[in-house]
Amino acid sequence: MTHDQAAAFPTAPEEVTADHIAAAFHDPKLANVLYHDWEAGTYDEKWSISYDERCIDYARGRFAHVAGTDGWPYASALEIGSGTGFFLLNLKQAGVLDQGHVTDLSPGMVEVAVRNARSLGFDVEGRVADAESLPYDDESFDLVVGHAVLHHIPDLDLALREVRRVLKPGGRFVFAGEPTRRGDWVARRLSGLTWWTASRVTQLPALKEKWARTRAELDESSRAAALEGVVDIHTFDPDRLAAMCLRAGAVDVRTVTEELTASWFGWPVRTFEAAVKPGALGWNWAMFAYKGWLRLSWLDENVLTHVVPHELFYNVSVTGVKPA
Ligand SMILES: C[S@@+](CC[C@H](N)C(=O)[O-])C[C@H]1O[C@@H](n2cnc3c(N)ncnc32)[C@H](O)[C@@H]1O
């Protein structure tokens, strides 16, 4: 069967007007297209995304932690909400998959993902696509992946049924990096407090020249934060996420949670970086942030995961299989 590609989702306007932005506050998909198109060119830098050992290890680790290493390399894989390709391109480099296809609601993101693959020396096929209506035939892929995408999708039951439809029998899905309900609550409060403090302290006359962002930059960040409130639709209780996957027809469903103290450290750090003048923090700060995050991740993974309830951790990953 061939899937009807005439999907009804908002397309990126040639030129974004104030009317588009006003409409986006009532339309999460339009908000996703505008917000992520706008972010596409600077996204890798903003989130410290790279395609070297650091992020290859990270992607491999997230995948293996929830789904193990059986079946590598999957012959054909699709990513939904690929952004700039962080998850799929690094999984390919890690040897998890062979042929990759990237999709995203944002044309700007798909363009960057395809370009990133090319600069790494391989090709992926890119399509602009809504996860609720995937433009692929039934039983096309051995693997479907996503990272930090489920929480943006309005009708998750529909998207998970689409994932099941495009998977071959016995095929696997892996979604990682989704916010848990409780972890997100804490992270948002820590980030809010950091932003409030940093954006005021840097305005003090003695600090302003070296540390403060311009008023225009701060206003733009506030506008972005407002749209972020529209694009971030869900947070997850791990058991309910698993139940949703079972309802979509998956078997062997499993969830794991990660990052407790690492997220209490990581979110304020990223917020602080966004609140101060670009370039003001320098290399020593970057090393402090990265090594601090690594050490706390180790603590979370090796110690706290055995004593703290799993739903308090920040990230949840889920995997499952389409019945053979
Ligand atoms: C937080 S970003 C994550 C990007 C990338 N996966 C990563 O981890 O860097 C979420 C991505 O999902 C995309 N997205 C949001 N809603 C979507 C939908 N309904 N269908 C497909 N992609 C969607 C956004 O455009 C955005 O690129």
Side-chain angles (χ1 to χ4, degrees):
M1 181 181 131
T2 303
H3 181 69
D4 175 9
Q5 291 199 16
F9 62 85
T11 49
E14 292 264 305
E15 199 180 313
V16 178
T17 64
D19 285 349
H20 289 119
I21 293 177
F25 280 95
H26 307 284
D27 179 347
K29 284 191 190 169
L30 177 61
N32 260 294
V33 174
L34 299 183
Y35 178 75
H36 287 107
D37 248 20
W38 179 26
E39 291 238 297
T42 52
Y43 194 80
D44 284 351
E45 190 191 348
K46 174 177 172 187
W47 294 101
S48 300
I49 290 175
S50 62
Y51 300 90
D52 53 16
E53 273 318 306
R54 181 175 63 87
C55 282
I56 295 173
D57 280 354
Y58 183 85
R60 182 200 288 116
R62 303 294 65 70
F63 189 104
H65 192 194
V66 67
T69 57
D70 284 354
W72 295 15
Y74 292 83
S76 65
L78 169 73
E79 176 160 25
I80 61 170
S82 65
T84 56
F86 157 70
F87 202 39
L88 186 135
L89 302 188
N90 281 317
L91 289 176
K92 175 161 168 70
Q93 296 194 93
V96 176
L97 56 98
D98 281 337
Q99 182 57 46
H101 300 247
V102 291
T103 59
D104 198 289
L105 206 51
S106 147
M109 287 291 195
V110 175
E111 204 180 305
V112 176
V114 170
R115 198 168 62 223
N116 279 342
R118 224 166 271 147
S119 72
L120 292 168
F122 54 85
D123 279 324
V124 295
E125 192 209 270
R127 288 193 197 177
V128 178
D130 183 353
E132 291 176 8
S133 174
L134 294 171
Y136 294 94
D137 291 351
D138 295 1
E139 305 186 359
S140 296
F141 300 101
D142 301 287
L143 175 69
V144 176
V145 297
H147 183 268
V149 59
L150 296 184
H151 66 284
H152 292 308
I153 300 174
D155 191 339
L156 263 181
D157 284 311
L158 182 54
L160 290 170
R161 285 200 301 275
E162 277 295 88
V163 168
R164 181 182 189 273
R165 182 182 66 75
V166 301
L167 274 175
K168 294 178 186 168
R172 177 177 290 284
F173 62 83
V174 173
F175 295 108
E178 299 296 340
T180 62
R181 191 162 55 85
R182 296 192 176 174
D184 186 68
W185 189 90
V186 175
R188 280 184 191 275
R189 269 146 196 83
L190 289 174
S191 290
L193 184 65
T194 308
W195 181 266
W196 189 90
T197 310
S199 55
R200 278 162 185 76
V201 170
T202 52
Q203 293 299 325
L204 295 173
L207 302 177
K208 195 166 177 170
E209 193 181 337
K210 176 157 191 255
W211 295 99
R213 279 192 177 265
T214 63
R215 175 52 40 205
E217 285 171 338
L218 288 174
D219 288 348
E220 186 163 314
S221 295
S222 303
R223 276 198 295 278
L227 262 194
E228 225 168 63
V230 186
V231 301
D232 291 342
I233 302 175
H234 311 283
T235 54
F236 297 99
D237 171 81
D239 294 339
R240 288 202 187 153
L241 179 58
M244 208 179 268
C245 295
L246 291 168
R247 210 160 54 227
V251 295
D252 295 340
V253 173
R254 174 167 190 262
T255 61
V256 297
T257 57
E258 298 171 290
E259 290 195 29
L260 181 72
T261 58
S263 84
W264 298 346
F265 175 74
W267 278 105
V269 161
R270 273 192 289 271
T271 307
F272 182 62
E273 287 167 352
V276 303
K277 201 179 214 168
L281 291 165
W283 178 250
N284 287 343
W285 169 270
M287 280 297 103
F288 156 77
Y290 179 53
K291 289 194 172 153
W293 181 86
L294 273 185
R295 288 194 183 111
L296 293 171
S297 294
W298 185 93
L299 177 72
D300 295 343
E301 198 176 325
N302 294 288
V303 182
L304 298 178
T305 192
H306 302 296
V307 288
V308 177
H310 68 294
E311 65 273 16
L312 296 184
F313 283 67
Y314 178 76
N315 275 319
V316 58
S317 302
V318 64
T319 189
V321 170
K322 177 170 176 169

